[in-house]
Amino acid sequence: MNEQTKFPFRAETRLIGLAFPAIRALLVHEAQEHGLELPENSDARVMMVSEYGHLTFDALENGVHACVMADQTDKLFILKESLVESIEHFAPQLAESLTWSDAAQHKGHPPNFQLATVTAVTPIGKSFLRVTLSAQDLSSYAQNAIHFRIILPPKGDQAPQWPRLNDKGVTIWPKGDKALHRPVYTIRSVDTHRNELVFDVFVHEGGRTTEWAQNVTIGTQIGITGPGGGGIPDTQAITIYADETAFPATARLLEALPHSVGGRVVLQAGTQDYPLPDHPNLKVIWHSPHSDQTLPDVAIADRTSFPEHMLWFASEKEDTQKMRAFCKSQDIDVKNHYIATYWSRT
Ligand SMILES: Cc1cc2nc3c(=O)[nH]c(=O)nc-3n(C[C@H](O)[C@H](O)[C@H](O)COP(=O)(O)OP(=O)(O)OC[C@H]3O[C@@H](n4cnc5c(N)ncnc54)[C@H](O)[C@@H]3O)c2cc1C
């Protein structure tokens, strides 16, 4: 199958003034961080393969030509958005001024954005609040991608501004007093017939989403974007390490991994009451956050016993940095580990 048939949706843009080595360095970093492949990586061209499609970057005399390709329009949009977000960090003006070749096809809200209504909030054990949302069309959420973003208006804002596409096809997010809070959550379950989505909020000190979930009234409207990211690993053996923020994702894995998959699940939590689906060959072990051993210490010590297992690790930033350094030092193939920062202390 050629690229055109495999990825019928594509969009291009020119990143004028951007030095090719800068984008190449960014892609190499992203590939290492997220375990992505770079089938081409030269002074003139870099190609990156992600779960959403392909991105290619060609050096121009005055900048870089970028092309994104996907098999679905929502995946194409995710690729475009992630590219713009990455560029925003080191060239914010360029990010706002770039023009996508398919800009004329999209108007209004970004295609992966929709409004959703809160229909229930229920405590789950002592540390979680389960939120149910109802939306217009959640058909695209019936995939392996297990995460999404909730889009919360500023506290007390009765007339929020939602994101819109400008005439160049770039999403404009409101700024200043109107800035929206956009944390990532895991889709605990989705009912595409009823268009209902459930997610679990870990209740923690100082969390804006915690405060929102504790006080929200039924019928409140918020935004959501997604789905995106994560996915269910294709493996026969796995060791999973998670703190509370990754319990919903762990539950998705336990539900989706075939019963033939073996391994263990180490969960770090003060209270051990988060409901997890049973899996006959994945043994759950609870790890106290007050133990002398941190979660990465446990994962590193375990590695000698399970060298062939896929390593799945999601937790706080310092923990994931330690795990990434360990995997690098041991030359563990990026395809054989998923290490994700779910939150950051700073
Ligand atoms: C792929 C992915 C999936 C995720 N899935 C879930 C999920 O299903 N459920 C869930 O609860 N979280 C999940 N998270 C984590 C969640 O996005 C973060 O905890 C986020 O910071 C929550 O936003 P907030 O509005 O509550 O806090 P913010 O307003 O962003 O942060 C406020 C303060 O809270 C602190 N903080 C943030 N998280 C924690 C924590 N866990 N413990 C202690 N302090 C914290 C921050 O350091 C900051 O000081 C996920 C993250 C990722 C990347």
Side-chain angles (χ1 to χ4, degrees), residues 128 147 181 183-186 200-202 204-210 243-246 248-249 338 341-346:
F128 285 84
H147 306 300
H181 183 42
V184 180
Y185 278 83
T186 302
D200 293 343
V201 177
F202 171 55
H204 62 85
E205 194 75 16
R208 280 176 281 179
T209 310
T210 297
D243 76 359
E244 292 97 336
T245 55
Y338 166 91
T341 300
Y342 272 29
W343 66 284
S344 154
R345 216 163 255 123
T346 48

mmCIF file of all heavy atoms in Angstrom, residues 128 147 181 183-186 200-202 204-210 243-246 248-249 338 341-346, ligand 1:
data_model
loop_
_atom_site.group_PDB
_atom_site.id
_atom_site.type_symbol
_atom_site.label_atom_id
_atom_site.label_comp_id
_atom_site.label_asym_id
_atom_site.label_seq_id
_atom_site.Cartn_x
_atom_site.Cartn_y
_atom_site.Cartn_z
ATOM 1 N N PHE A 128 -11.282 9.341 44.861
ATOM 2 C CA PHE A 128 -11.654 9.675 43.479
ATOM 3 C C PHE A 128 -13.088 10.190 43.387
ATOM 4 O O PHE A 128 -13.950 9.807 44.186
ATOM 5 C CB PHE A 128 -11.539 8.438 42.570
ATOM 6 C CG PHE A 128 -10.126 8.068 42.215
ATOM 7 C CD1 PHE A 128 -9.368 7.287 43.083
ATOM 8 C CD2 PHE A 128 -9.534 8.504 41.039
ATOM 9 C CE1 PHE A 128 -8.056 6.946 42.781
ATOM 10 C CE2 PHE A 128 -8.225 8.171 40.719
ATOM 11 C CZ PHE A 128 -7.484 7.383 41.600
ATOM 12 N N HIS A 147 -7.205 8.595 26.186
ATOM 13 C CA HIS A 147 -7.171 9.857 26.933
ATOM 14 C C HIS A 147 -7.935 10.967 26.208
ATOM 15 O O HIS A 147 -8.215 10.860 25.013
ATOM 16 C CB HIS A 147 -5.725 10.300 27.157
ATOM 17 C CG HIS A 147 -4.884 9.255 27.809
ATOM 18 N ND1 HIS A 147 -5.178 8.738 29.047
ATOM 19 C CD2 HIS A 147 -3.769 8.607 27.383
ATOM 20 C CE1 HIS A 147 -4.273 7.823 29.361
ATOM 21 N NE2 HIS A 147 -3.416 7.716 28.369
ATOM 22 N N HIS A 181 -8.559 26.064 31.246
ATOM 23 C CA HIS A 181 -7.706 25.038 31.869
ATOM 24 C C HIS A 181 -7.946 23.730 31.109
ATOM 25 O O HIS A 181 -9.096 23.341 30.910
ATOM 26 C CB HIS A 181 -8.110 24.904 33.341
ATOM 27 C CG HIS A 181 -7.266 23.947 34.121
ATOM 28 N ND1 HIS A 181 -5.895 23.874 33.998
ATOM 29 C CD2 HIS A 181 -7.602 23.011 35.063
ATOM 30 C CE1 HIS A 181 -5.427 22.945 34.811
ATOM 31 N NE2 HIS A 181 -6.436 22.404 35.466
ATOM 32 N N PRO A 183 -6.528 20.139 31.417
ATOM 33 C CA PRO A 183 -5.785 18.947 31.849
ATOM 34 C C PRO A 183 -6.208 17.676 31.102
ATOM 35 O O PRO A 183 -7.339 17.571 30.625
ATOM 36 C CB PRO A 183 -6.145 18.834 33.336
ATOM 37 C CG PRO A 183 -7.478 19.479 33.443
ATOM 38 C CD PRO A 183 -7.510 20.576 32.414
ATOM 39 N N VAL A 184 -5.274 16.733 31.038
ATOM 40 C CA VAL A 184 -5.535 15.448 30.369
ATOM 41 C C VAL A 184 -6.137 14.471 31.378
ATOM 42 O O VAL A 184 -5.669 14.383 32.519
ATOM 43 C CB VAL A 184 -4.217 14.840 29.823
ATOM 44 C CG1 VAL A 184 -4.479 13.511 29.122
ATOM 45 C CG2 VAL A 184 -3.525 15.804 28.894
ATOM 46 N N TYR A 185 -7.152 13.752 30.973
ATOM 47 C CA TYR A 185 -7.741 12.688 31.798
ATOM 48 C C TYR A 185 -7.892 11.424 30.967
ATOM 49 O O TYR A 185 -7.740 11.443 29.740
ATOM 50 C CB TYR A 185 -9.082 13.149 32.416
ATOM 51 C CG TYR A 185 -8.805 13.961 33.664
ATOM 52 C CD1 TYR A 185 -8.504 15.314 33.574
ATOM 53 C CD2 TYR A 185 -8.737 13.351 34.906
ATOM 54 C CE1 TYR A 185 -8.162 16.044 34.702
ATOM 55 C CE2 TYR A 185 -8.401 14.073 36.043
ATOM 56 C CZ TYR A 185 -8.113 15.413 35.936
ATOM 57 O OH TYR A 185 -7.756 16.111 37.056
ATOM 58 N N THR A 186 -8.163 10.324 31.665
ATOM 59 C CA THR A 186 -8.327 9.042 30.984
ATOM 60 C C THR A 186 -9.812 8.733 30.855
ATOM 61 O O THR A 186 -10.563 8.924 31.816
ATOM 62 C CB THR A 186 -7.632 7.930 31.799
ATOM 63 O OG1 THR A 186 -6.260 8.293 31.929
ATOM 64 C CG2 THR A 186 -7.753 6.569 31.125
ATOM 65 N N ASP A 200 -12.435 9.517 35.921
ATOM 66 C CA ASP A 200 -12.240 9.520 37.372
ATOM 67 C C ASP A 200 -11.171 10.538 37.748
ATOM 68 O O ASP A 200 -10.035 10.461 37.262
ATOM 69 C CB ASP A 200 -11.805 8.127 37.849
ATOM 70 C CG ASP A 200 -12.909 7.091 37.681
ATOM 71 O OD1 ASP A 200 -14.081 7.495 37.512
ATOM 72 O OD2 ASP A 200 -12.596 5.886 37.709
ATOM 73 N N VAL A 201 -11.538 11.446 38.640
ATOM 74 C CA VAL A 201 -10.611 12.501 39.075
ATOM 75 C C VAL A 201 -9.992 12.103 40.412
ATOM 76 O O VAL A 201 -10.727 11.878 41.388
ATOM 77 C CB VAL A 201 -11.366 13.842 39.252
ATOM 78 C CG1 VAL A 201 -10.437 14.934 39.772
ATOM 79 C CG2 VAL A 201 -12.034 14.259 37.949
ATOM 80 N N PHE A 202 -8.671 12.009 40.458
ATOM 81 C CA PHE A 202 -7.985 11.770 41.732
ATOM 82 C C PHE A 202 -8.042 13.076 42.532
ATOM 83 O O PHE A 202 -7.638 14.133 42.039
ATOM 84 C CB PHE A 202 -6.530 11.345 41.480
ATOM 85 C CG PHE A 202 -5.703 11.285 42.737
ATOM 86 C CD1 PHE A 202 -6.116 10.514 43.820
ATOM 87 C CD2 PHE A 202 -4.522 12.011 42.851
ATOM 88 C CE1 PHE A 202 -5.366 10.472 44.995
ATOM 89 C CE2 PHE A 202 -3.763 11.968 44.017
ATOM 90 C CZ PHE A 202 -4.188 11.198 45.087
ATOM 91 N N HIS A 204 -6.877 15.670 44.886
ATOM 92 C CA HIS A 204 -5.603 16.064 45.509
ATOM 93 C C HIS A 204 -5.614 17.544 45.851
ATOM 94 O O HIS A 204 -6.331 18.346 45.240
ATOM 95 C CB HIS A 204 -4.417 15.716 44.599
ATOM 96 C CG HIS A 204 -4.443 16.439 43.287
ATOM 97 N ND1 HIS A 204 -3.932 17.702 43.131
ATOM 98 C CD2 HIS A 204 -4.933 16.072 42.086
ATOM 99 C CE1 HIS A 204 -4.102 18.078 41.881
ATOM 100 N NE2 HIS A 204 -4.715 17.120 41.222
ATOM 101 N N GLU A 205 -4.803 17.872 46.837
ATOM 102 C CA GLU A 205 -4.650 19.234 47.343
ATOM 103 C C GLU A 205 -4.317 20.204 46.210
ATOM 104 O O GLU A 205 -3.431 19.922 45.401
ATOM 105 C CB GLU A 205 -3.478 19.207 48.346
ATOM 106 C CG GLU A 205 -3.335 20.390 49.243
ATOM 107 C CD GLU A 205 -4.384 20.412 50.358
ATOM 108 O OE1 GLU A 205 -5.039 19.389 50.637
ATOM 109 O OE2 GLU A 205 -4.530 21.486 50.918
ATOM 110 N N GLY A 206 -5.023 21.326 46.144
ATOM 111 C CA GLY A 206 -4.652 22.395 45.207
ATOM 112 C C GLY A 206 -5.028 22.134 43.759
ATOM 113 O O GLY A 206 -4.703 22.939 42.888
ATOM 114 N N GLY A 207 -5.707 21.019 43.473
ATOM 115 C CA GLY A 207 -6.029 20.691 42.080
ATOM 116 C C GLY A 207 -7.245 21.481 41.600
ATOM 117 O O GLY A 207 -8.296 21.447 42.239
ATOM 118 N N ARG A 208 -7.096 22.167 40.481
ATOM 119 C CA ARG A 208 -8.226 22.945 39.953
ATOM 120 C C ARG A 208 -9.370 22.023 39.540
ATOM 121 O O ARG A 208 -10.534 22.335 39.711
ATOM 122 C CB ARG A 208 -7.772 23.793 38.755
ATOM 123 C CG ARG A 208 -7.062 25.057 39.176
ATOM 124 C CD ARG A 208 -6.544 25.809 37.983
ATOM 125 N NE ARG A 208 -5.302 25.224 37.485
ATOM 126 C CZ ARG A 208 -4.642 25.687 36.426
ATOM 127 N NH1 ARG A 208 -5.121 26.699 35.739
ATOM 128 N NH2 ARG A 208 -3.516 25.125 36.043
ATOM 129 N N THR A 209 -8.999 20.848 38.987
ATOM 130 C CA THR A 209 -10.051 19.919 38.557
ATOM 131 C C THR A 209 -10.729 19.293 39.770
ATOM 132 O O THR A 209 -11.940 19.075 39.779
ATOM 133 C CB THR A 209 -9.466 18.831 37.634
ATOM 134 O OG1 THR A 209 -8.711 19.492 36.625
ATOM 135 C CG2 THR A 209 -10.551 18.002 36.997
ATOM 136 N N THR A 210 -9.929 19.023 40.811
ATOM 137 C CA THR A 210 -10.502 18.502 42.061
ATOM 138 C C THR A 210 -11.554 19.478 42.573
ATOM 139 O O THR A 210 -12.694 19.102 42.861
ATOM 140 C CB THR A 210 -9.387 18.347 43.129
ATOM 141 O OG1 THR A 210 -8.453 17.384 42.681
ATOM 142 C CG2 THR A 210 -9.961 17.916 44.471
ATOM 143 N N ASP A 243 0.914 5.553 39.749
ATOM 144 C CA ASP A 243 0.375 6.206 40.944
ATOM 145 C C ASP A 243 -1.102 6.491 40.674
ATOM 146 O O ASP A 243 -1.628 6.130 39.610
ATOM 147 C CB ASP A 243 1.197 7.448 41.336
ATOM 148 C CG ASP A 243 0.947 8.658 40.451
ATOM 149 O OD1 ASP A 243 0.142 8.570 39.505
ATOM 150 O OD2 ASP A 243 1.558 9.713 40.709
ATOM 151 N N GLU A 244 -1.782 7.159 41.603
ATOM 152 C CA GLU A 244 -3.251 7.278 41.513
ATOM 153 C C GLU A 244 -3.730 7.865 40.193
ATOM 154 O O GLU A 244 -4.761 7.450 39.662
ATOM 155 C CB GLU A 244 -3.807 8.148 42.646
ATOM 156 C CG GLU A 244 -3.701 7.547 44.027
ATOM 157 C CD GLU A 244 -2.483 8.038 44.780
ATOM 158 O OE1 GLU A 244 -1.507 8.464 44.121
ATOM 159 O OE2 GLU A 244 -2.502 7.989 46.026
ATOM 160 N N THR A 245 -2.998 8.858 39.662
ATOM 161 C CA THR A 245 -3.468 9.509 38.433
ATOM 162 C C THR A 245 -3.550 8.516 37.268
ATOM 163 O O THR A 245 -4.281 8.745 36.312
ATOM 164 C CB THR A 245 -2.546 10.685 38.030
ATOM 165 O OG1 THR A 245 -1.218 10.201 37.922
ATOM 166 C CG2 THR A 245 -2.614 11.824 39.011
ATOM 167 N N ALA A 246 -2.780 7.436 37.383
ATOM 168 C CA ALA A 246 -2.763 6.447 36.291
ATOM 169 C C ALA A 246 -3.600 5.208 36.625
ATOM 170 O O ALA A 246 -3.567 4.230 35.877
ATOM 171 C CB ALA A 246 -1.325 6.057 35.965
ATOM 172 N N PRO A 248 -6.949 5.005 36.503
ATOM 173 C CA PRO A 248 -7.961 4.798 35.453
ATOM 174 C C PRO A 248 -7.357 4.177 34.184
ATOM 175 O O PRO A 248 -7.967 3.301 33.566
ATOM 176 C CB PRO A 248 -8.498 6.212 35.195
ATOM 177 C CG PRO A 248 -8.270 6.938 36.496
ATOM 178 C CD PRO A 248 -6.957 6.405 36.996
ATOM 179 N N ALA A 249 -6.138 4.609 33.831
ATOM 180 C CA ALA A 249 -5.489 4.032 32.641
ATOM 181 C C ALA A 249 -5.152 2.563 32.900
ATOM 182 O O ALA A 249 -5.329 1.700 32.023
ATOM 183 C CB ALA A 249 -4.230 4.817 32.292
ATOM 184 N N TYR A 338 6.718 2.110 27.893
ATOM 185 C CA TYR A 338 5.886 3.316 27.833
ATOM 186 C C TYR A 338 6.122 4.012 29.160
ATOM 187 O O TYR A 338 5.839 3.452 30.223
ATOM 188 C CB TYR A 338 4.413 2.919 27.671
ATOM 189 C CG TYR A 338 3.415 4.034 27.940
ATOM 190 C CD1 TYR A 338 2.970 4.869 26.915
ATOM 191 C CD2 TYR A 338 2.891 4.242 29.222
ATOM 192 C CE1 TYR A 338 2.045 5.884 27.162
ATOM 193 C CE2 TYR A 338 1.966 5.253 29.469
ATOM 194 C CZ TYR A 338 1.555 6.064 28.440
ATOM 195 O OH TYR A 338 0.643 7.061 28.685
ATOM 196 N N THR A 341 4.768 10.963 31.959
ATOM 197 C CA THR A 341 4.579 11.886 33.078
ATOM 198 C C THR A 341 3.111 12.280 33.122
ATOM 199 O O THR A 341 2.604 12.876 32.179
ATOM 200 C CB THR A 341 5.449 13.145 32.877
ATOM 201 O OG1 THR A 341 6.815 12.738 32.816
ATOM 202 C CG2 THR A 341 5.259 14.137 34.006
ATOM 203 N N TYR A 342 2.427 11.941 34.208
ATOM 204 C CA TYR A 342 1.003 12.269 34.318
ATOM 205 C C TYR A 342 0.772 13.568 35.092
ATOM 206 O O TYR A 342 -0.266 14.173 34.985
ATOM 207 C CB TYR A 342 0.245 11.104 34.977
ATOM 208 C CG TYR A 342 -0.224 10.058 33.975
ATOM 209 C CD1 TYR A 342 0.461 9.820 32.795
ATOM 210 C CD2 TYR A 342 -1.375 9.313 34.208
ATOM 211 C CE1 TYR A 342 0.029 8.872 31.878
ATOM 212 C CE2 TYR A 342 -1.821 8.357 33.293
ATOM 213 C CZ TYR A 342 -1.110 8.146 32.134
ATOM 214 O OH TYR A 342 -1.552 7.205 31.230
ATOM 215 N N TRP A 343 1.738 13.959 35.909
ATOM 216 C CA TRP A 343 1.616 15.237 36.608
ATOM 217 C C TRP A 343 2.990 15.667 37.079
ATOM 218 O O TRP A 343 3.944 14.886 37.035
ATOM 219 C CB TRP A 343 0.625 15.149 37.773
ATOM 220 C CG TRP A 343 1.021 14.249 38.913
ATOM 221 C CD1 TRP A 343 0.969 12.882 38.915
ATOM 222 C CD2 TRP A 343 1.532 14.628 40.189
ATOM 223 N NE1 TRP A 343 1.413 12.396 40.115
ATOM 224 C CE2 TRP A 343 1.755 13.449 40.929
ATOM 225 C CE3 TRP A 343 1.811 15.857 40.796
ATOM 226 C CZ2 TRP A 343 2.248 13.451 42.226
ATOM 227 C CZ3 TRP A 343 2.299 15.865 42.102
ATOM 228 C CH2 TRP A 343 2.509 14.668 42.799
ATOM 229 N N SER A 344 3.055 16.943 37.508
ATOM 230 C CA SER A 344 4.351 17.460 37.907
ATOM 231 C C SER A 344 4.203 18.236 39.211
ATOM 232 O O SER A 344 3.245 18.985 39.386
ATOM 233 C CB SER A 344 4.866 18.335 36.763
ATOM 234 O OG SER A 344 5.736 19.271 37.254
ATOM 235 N N ARG A 345 5.157 18.023 40.121
ATOM 236 C CA ARG A 345 5.092 18.643 41.438
ATOM 237 C C ARG A 345 5.332 20.155 41.345
ATOM 238 O O ARG A 345 4.860 20.912 42.162
ATOM 239 C CB ARG A 345 6.159 18.001 42.331
ATOM 240 C CG ARG A 345 5.728 17.862 43.755
ATOM 241 C CD ARG A 345 6.568 16.882 44.538
ATOM 242 N NE ARG A 345 5.871 15.628 44.755
ATOM 243 C CZ ARG A 345 6.319 14.440 44.392
ATOM 244 N NH1 ARG A 345 7.465 14.329 43.775
ATOM 245 N NH2 ARG A 345 5.625 13.357 44.630
ATOM 246 N N THR A 346 6.097 20.592 40.352
ATOM 247 C CA THR A 346 6.454 22.022 40.271
ATOM 248 C C THR A 346 5.455 22.782 39.405
ATOM 249 O O THR A 346 4.900 22.248 38.489
ATOM 250 C CB THR A 346 7.848 22.185 39.658
ATOM 251 O OG1 THR A 346 7.922 21.390 38.475
ATOM 252 C CG2 THR A 346 8.897 21.765 40.632
HETATM 253 C C1 LIG B 1 -2.153 10.839 29.754
HETATM 254 C C2 LIG B 1 -2.653 11.326 31.109
HETATM 255 C C3 LIG B 1 -3.774 10.753 31.681
HETATM 256 C C4 LIG B 1 -4.224 11.181 32.941
HETATM 257 N N1 LIG B 1 -5.337 10.602 33.486
HETATM 258 C C5 LIG B 1 -5.787 11.017 34.699
HETATM 259 C C6 LIG B 1 -6.966 10.470 35.277
HETATM 260 O O1 LIG B 1 -7.669 9.667 34.664
HETATM 261 N N2 LIG B 1 -7.322 10.888 36.528
HETATM 262 C C7 LIG B 1 -6.589 11.818 37.227
HETATM 263 O O2 LIG B 1 -6.961 12.163 38.361
HETATM 264 N N3 LIG B 1 -5.485 12.379 36.682
HETATM 265 C C8 LIG B 1 -5.080 12.012 35.442
HETATM 266 N N4 LIG B 1 -3.974 12.590 34.892
HETATM 267 C C9 LIG B 1 -3.229 13.578 35.685
HETATM 268 C C10 LIG B 1 -3.837 14.970 35.626
HETATM 269 O O3 LIG B 1 -3.865 15.449 34.298
HETATM 270 C C11 LIG B 1 -2.959 15.913 36.487
HETATM 271 O O4 LIG B 1 -2.977 15.504 37.826
HETATM 272 C C12 LIG B 1 -3.391 17.354 36.354
HETATM 273 O O5 LIG B 1 -2.408 18.187 36.913
HETATM 274 C C13 LIG B 1 -4.691 17.595 37.076
HETATM 275 O O6 LIG B 1 -5.025 18.927 36.908
HETATM 276 P P1 LIG B 1 -5.604 19.802 38.100
HETATM 277 O O7 LIG B 1 -6.474 20.775 37.435
HETATM 278 O O8 LIG B 1 -6.258 18.957 39.142
HETATM 279 O O9 LIG B 1 -4.344 20.380 38.789
HETATM 280 P P2 LIG B 1 -3.526 21.670 38.355
HETATM 281 O O10 LIG B 1 -4.393 22.850 38.581
HETATM 282 O O11 LIG B 1 -2.951 21.420 37.010
HETATM 283 O O12 LIG B 1 -2.363 21.650 39.401
HETATM 284 C C14 LIG B 1 -2.521 22.226 40.688
HETATM 285 C C15 LIG B 1 -1.512 21.657 41.649
HETATM 286 O O13 LIG B 1 -1.811 20.291 41.861
HETATM 287 C C16 LIG B 1 -0.620 19.536 41.810
HETATM 288 N N5 LIG B 1 -0.963 18.188 41.366
HETATM 289 C C17 LIG B 1 -1.354 17.798 40.131
HETATM 290 N N6 LIG B 1 -1.591 16.468 40.128
HETATM 291 C C18 LIG B 1 -1.336 16.030 41.383
HETATM 292 C C19 LIG B 1 -1.388 14.765 42.007
HETATM 293 N N7 LIG B 1 -1.743 13.675 41.340
HETATM 294 N N8 LIG B 1 -1.077 14.667 43.322
HETATM 295 C C20 LIG B 1 -0.712 15.758 44.029
HETATM 296 N N9 LIG B 1 -0.637 17.001 43.490
HETATM 297 C C21 LIG B 1 -0.944 17.123 42.188
HETATM 298 C C22 LIG B 1 0.270 20.287 40.842
HETATM 299 O O14 LIG B 1 1.627 20.053 41.123
HETATM 300 C C23 LIG B 1 -0.080 21.724 41.126
HETATM 301 O O15 LIG B 1 0.735 22.217 42.165
HETATM 302 C C24 LIG B 1 -3.528 12.202 33.624
HETATM 303 C C25 LIG B 1 -2.425 12.814 33.018
HETATM 304 C C26 LIG B 1 -1.993 12.381 31.770
HETATM 305 C C27 LIG B 1 -0.802 13.057 31.126
#
